[in-house]
Amino acid sequence: MENSAILREWFDRVDTEKIGSITAIQLKSAFAIGNLQFPITVVQQMIRMCDFDQNGTMSFEGEDDLSTLVNPLACP
């Protein structure tokens, strides 16, 4: 549960437009803050992996997939 709350807080910070979903550009910017530089094409692929309604964004309801995506990138 604690991880879910942390992940939700992170997601809400990335969701700068406060619409409940994030774009590849927002995700790329969030990664850059953590000094992770990915080409936009890679970030777009990450979004597609969690884009259940296929609208080009990722919502928090894909939390399990988001967690799987973000956790390997976290520093130990």
Side-chain angles (χ1 to χ4, degrees), residues 31-49:
F31 284 145
I33 291 169
N35 203 29
L36 296 169
Q37 302 295 328
F38 295 106
I40 192 65
T41 54
V42 172
V43 180
Q44 288 168 332
Q45 180 61 36
M46 292 176 184
I47 291 285
R48 280 192 293 274
M49 290 168 53

Side-chain angles (χ1 to χ4, degrees), residues 39-70:
I40 192 65
T41 54
V42 172
V43 180
Q44 288 168 332
Q45 180 61 36
M46 292 176 184
I47 291 285
R48 280 192 293 274
M49 290 168 53
C50 302
D51 181 11
F52 298 113
D53 59 5
Q54 299 181 346
N55 68 351
T57 65
M58 179 172 47
S59 65
F60 191 74
E61 61 187 42
E63 173 192 338
D64 290 336
D65 290 324
L66 179 62
S67 179
T68 301
L69 177 67
V70 173

